[in-house]
Amino acid sequence: MKIALVSAPVKTGDIAFNAASLMDSMEHCAGKADLVLFGESVLQGFDCLTWKYDADRYMAVSQRDAVIGKICEMARKWQIAASFGYIEKDGEALFSSQIVIDKAGEIVHNFRRVSIGWKDFTRTDGHYREGERFEGFFLEGKKFAIGLCGDLWTEGKPEEMCALKADAVLWPVWCDYTAEEWNGGAKYEYAQQAHLCGNCVLYVNPFCVDKDTATGAKGGAASFSGGRIEMETPAGNEDTLFVEV
């Protein structure tokens, strides 16, 4: 199974731009990959929330919203599965989630981040929530599991993930290391942490294109195995890494 790890361009709070970016990458990867994997919160951008619920509930989207339906339609049209992060609204609750859409355009999995690092928990109320556990799911005959960013750094969670014995662990993140910090050493720390979580861990970070380019995710993708970097694209640019599972 071929997987494209895409460090797609993202603008904070600009759902129309970000959705178009995702779909452009899906079209580009059609025929080259079975699944396109994007980073955490790429639909709205990680810093899109104000921690005031009356505003944030309008930034979040549900699985039934038109923008999700459009991406499902494009997955079906181009016969390519896609997984991307978004701020999810479910009733009155908000989550940092990662959705998985198969080649038929059907939602086959929706993971909700289990660690609290996606939110400013000193300011949020009970509307901002986490999921309960990691879960395995199947796509193209392979077993996968998802951990979002800080999930795999949380005490006890690497062991929980490893116990699932997935063929590949998907690790979408939003990391704001500078390109120099990531390429110069942080990636090796992530490779060691990934070793605690599974035999094959696929990491992808978005590429933030906000006007303030000093902050935000700087891209980069990697396939980790045995505490090593098997394949990678460096941080600092929009890019796509093709791997096989």
Side-chain angles (χ1 to χ4, degrees):
M1 180 179 178
K2 294 181 180 179
I3 302 175
L5 311 179
V6 180
S7 296
V10 176
K11 288 184 180 179
T12 300
D14 193 336
I15 293 175
F17 175 91
N18 298 334
S21 173
L22 299 185
M23 290 185 285
D24 284 348
S25 295
M26 290 167 63
E27 184 177 17
H28 174 75
C29 292
K32 303 174 186 176
D34 301 294
L35 167 67
V36 185
L37 177 67
F38 301 96
E40 183 181 19
S41 304
V42 293
L43 188 61
Q44 295 106 326
F46 188 79
D47 296 317
C48 67
L49 300 179
T50 66
W51 316 121
K52 297 177 181 178
Y53 178 71
D54 284 343
D56 291 344
R57 65 194 178 107
Y58 293 107
M59 178 59 64
V61 302
S62 78
Q63 294 181 44
R64 300 176 298 279
D65 278 7
V67 64
I68 302 291
K70 182 64 175 179
I71 297 171
C72 288
E73 179 185 336
M74 293 301 102
R76 183 168 58 251
K77 176 181 177 179
W78 294 316
Q79 287 293 287
I80 189 166
S83 177
F84 59 90
Y86 69 118
I87 303 302
E88 179 192 4
K89 176 171 58 181
D90 184 8
E92 296 295 305
L94 303 182
F95 301 88
S96 177
S97 301
Q98 185 84 11
I99 199 168
V100 183
I101 299 164
D102 68 11
K103 289 181 177 180
E106 299 294 329
I107 297 171
V108 295
H109 188 63
N110 189 71
F111 171 74
R112 291 167 175 169
R113 180 169 167 164
V114 296
S115 57
I116 63 174
W118 71 279
K119 66 187 182 185
D120 184 346
F121 55 85
T122 64
R123 298 167 60 192
T124 54
D125 59 20
H127 292 101
Y128 301 78
R129 303 180 190 174
E130 288 73 51
E132 297 179 357
R133 66 183 69 85
F134 301 133
E135 295 179 343
F137 66 95
F138 288 87
L139 197 65
E140 301 285 319
K142 298 288 186 177
K143 184 179 181 180
F144 294 93
I146 296 171
L148 276 171
C149 207
D151 286 345
L152 299 189
W153 290 97
T154 301
E155 184 177 358
K157 293 303 181 183
E159 294 82 0
E160 181 183 328
M161 178 62 80
C162 196
L164 290 176
K165 300 185 183 303
D167 293 307
V169 175
L170 307 182
W171 196 3
V173 304
W174 183 285
C175 289
D176 58 2
Y177 294 105
T178 66
E180 292 75 18
E181 287 169 338
W182 176 258
N183 299 330
K187 63 184 182 181
Y188 300 114
E189 298 175 19
Y190 275 71
Q192 290 297 315
Q193 189 67 17
H195 185 45
L196 304 177
C197 303
N199 293 326
C200 174
V201 179
L202 305 180
Y203 163 103
V204 63
N205 192 33
F207 186 76
C208 187
V209 293
D210 290 352
K211 291 181 179 179
D212 180 6
T213 55
T215 61
K218 295 298 186 295
S223 174
F224 298 127
S225 181
R228 301 181 302 276
I229 300 170
E230 297 292 315
M231 299 177 67
E232 67 171 319
T233 52
N237 295 287
E238 304 169 24
D239 213 338
T240 300
L241 177 65
F242 291 93
V243 301
E244 193 151 358
V245 174

